[in-house]
Amino acid sequence: MSDEGARTGTAPAAAPVTPERQPPAADERSRVEQAARTAEPARSPLGRLLDSGAGRNLGLVAVLALLCVVGIVTADTFLTTSNLLTILTSASIIGVLTVGMTFVIIGGGIDLSVGKVMALASVWATTVATQSYGPLVMVFCALAVGTGAGLVNGLLIAYGRIVPFIVTLAMLITAQGLAERISGRRSQIVTDPVIAGIANTRVLGIPLLVYIFAAVVAVGWVVLNRTTFGRRTFAIGGNSEAARLAGVDVRRHTVLLYAVSGLCAGIAAIMIASLTTTGSSTHGTLYELDAIAAVIIGGTLLTGGRGTLIGSILGVLVFTTITNLFVLNNLATEVQNIAKGVIIVVAVLIQARAQRSSAAG
């Protein structure tokens, strides 16, 4: 007891506890979480639905329905069986490329080379030397060229640490040059009857190309939504550093994502070679932009980490239907491109608004 305390007969006052010494309340975390929940703006069930993947897909279905109504009103031949099969056939090749593009973009990347990789694969698979070995070798060659180009992209991006935009742009230019060099800038005629007959074959009245497209979509959906590979793709696209710390080999997975994109380009090469009965360096011009646009309007974030394969396919059908309507109504190609550009901008604006709403919520 101090001298002053002895004189007064009272105990000295306890020293004030500084804020650093005060232990946190036991329920501090729960109170903070409760306050955060209280501060969240109330959202209607409709708002939550529209922000979900299912809601975006329903919106695309509504857009498709609206386009069909426009087609019925403006073109007498829109609802004919032959025209609907034409739409599906046209969507098949772009759709296969879009499957691979969806994987890459969800994983946080971009692939500008798929159109010209498809052209290169079609040229390599239809040379006289390749065709002399038969249809199996032609198919193998197309798949190998596409997958090989994708692996090169992935290795340069993952291990060379080069920006995906630059790598895939360089691959686009290189593939275009190789395709022109191999073909001599001439279309190579498909002489193998098996390959040429793929596009003409129908099962239950539906072209075989549509079945190939459906099979690629089905496999892609299972891989993306029901496997570890798919979960890792979403994780890397959402936060690659967190995925790495969780034990995911981010670089190897990135290489595999671009290999998947290249494989899809190889499949599309066989499809377009059969449809046009040629292998040509002019195949696939601007196909990569159509595929990216379909992925974007399908709801996949360009920054990665979120998206649906079904949404991307609906995006392909929307674009293909728009193109078909323009053709049926004899509208100029430049008008088609303007309309597509406006749709892409609107889709990106909607994405940005949805991201801001999620961040605010």
Side-chain angles (χ1 to χ4, degrees):
M1 183 178 295
S2 64
D3 294 340
E4 184 179 354
R7 289 194 301 270
T8 60
T10 60
V17 180
T18 62
E20 291 78 10
R21 295 179 181 177
Q22 290 178 352
D27 60 342
E28 181 72 18
R29 179 175 178 180
S30 62
R31 288 193 292 107
V32 171
E33 291 176 349
Q34 179 63 36
R37 285 193 295 269
T38 304
E40 288 181 358
R43 300 175 65 197
S44 65
L46 178 60
R48 290 193 296 269
L49 175 63
L50 292 177
D51 284 342
S52 67
R56 288 188 294 271
N57 291 346
L58 286 174
L60 289 173
V61 171
V63 171
L64 272 176
L66 179 61
L67 290 174
C68 290
V69 171
V70 173
I72 294 170
V73 172
T74 60
D76 295 335
T77 59
F78 179 79
L79 274 185
T80 61
T81 301
S82 61
N83 185 62
L84 294 178
L85 291 179
T86 297
I87 293 175
L88 289 176
T89 303
S90 300
S92 296
I93 296 171
I94 294 291
V96 170
L97 293 177
T98 302
V99 171
M101 189 69 72
T102 302
F103 274 85
V104 170
I105 294 181
I106 288 177
I110 195 77
D111 191 349
L112 300 178
S113 67
V114 290
K116 287 309 170 183
V117 168
M118 181 187 74
L120 174 61
S122 76
V123 166
W124 214 319
T126 57
T127 61
V128 174
T130 305
Q131 292 195 63
S132 66
Y133 288 101
L136 291 179
V137 173
M138 292 176 67
V139 171
F140 173 80
C141 181
L143 300 183
V145 170
T147 305
L151 285 172
V152 171
N153 282 337
L155 289 170
L156 290 174
I157 292 167
Y159 293 94
R161 299 184 182 278
I162 307 176
V163 178
F165 180 89
I166 300 300
V167 171
T168 56
L169 180 61
M171 178 58 74
L172 181 154
I173 299 169
T174 303
Q176 173 73 29
L178 284 172
E180 292 176 349
R181 183 63 181 269
I182 294 171
S183 65
R185 296 191 175 183
R186 294 188 297 270
S187 295
Q188 299 173 162
I189 305 300
V190 176
T191 59
D192 187 272
V194 175
I195 299 297
I198 292 175
N200 297 323
T201 301
R202 295 197 175 193
V203 179
L204 301 177
I206 299 175
L208 185 58
L209 292 179
V210 178
Y211 286 102
I212 295 173
F213 171 39
V216 173
V217 171
V219 172
W221 187 90
V222 170
V223 172
L224 189 61
N225 296 281
R226 292 292 184 268
T227 67
T228 302
F229 185 89
R231 290 191 293 272
R232 289 176 176 175
T233 299
F234 281 101
I236 291 172
N239 190 325
S240 61
E241 181 61 20
R244 185 187 67 81
L245 293 175
V248 177
D249 191 334
V250 175
R251 292 189 294 182
R252 184 181 66 182
H253 195 89
T254 299
V255 173
L256 293 177
L257 286 176
Y258 283 92
V260 168
S261 182
L263 175 63
C264 289
I267 296 171
I270 291 297
M271 297 170 70
I272 199 168
S274 176
L275 186 64
T276 63
T277 65
T278 62
S280 174
S281 60
T282 61
H283 286 331
T285 302
L286 297 182
Y287 276 30
E288 61 279 351
L289 299 185
D290 286 343
I292 293 171
V295 173
I296 292 172
I297 70 170
T300 298
L301 292 181
L302 274 174
T303 53
R306 193 186 77 183
T308 65
L309 191 56
I310 300 302
S312 297
I313 301 310
L314 289 172
V316 172
L317 293 175
V318 166
F319 269 116
T320 307
T321 304
I322 290 173
T323 301
N324 182 260
L325 288 175
F326 276 90
V327 171
L328 291 179
N329 290 281
N330 297 317
L331 296 176
T333 304
E334 56 267 25
V335 180
Q336 298 181 37
N337 293 333
I338 292 171
K340 288 181 179 180
V342 170
I343 291 171
I344 294 170
V345 171
V346 171
V348 172
L349 288 175
I350 292 173
Q351 276 194 9
R353 182 179 179 279
Q355 283 183 286
R356 287 194 297 269
S357 299
S358 298

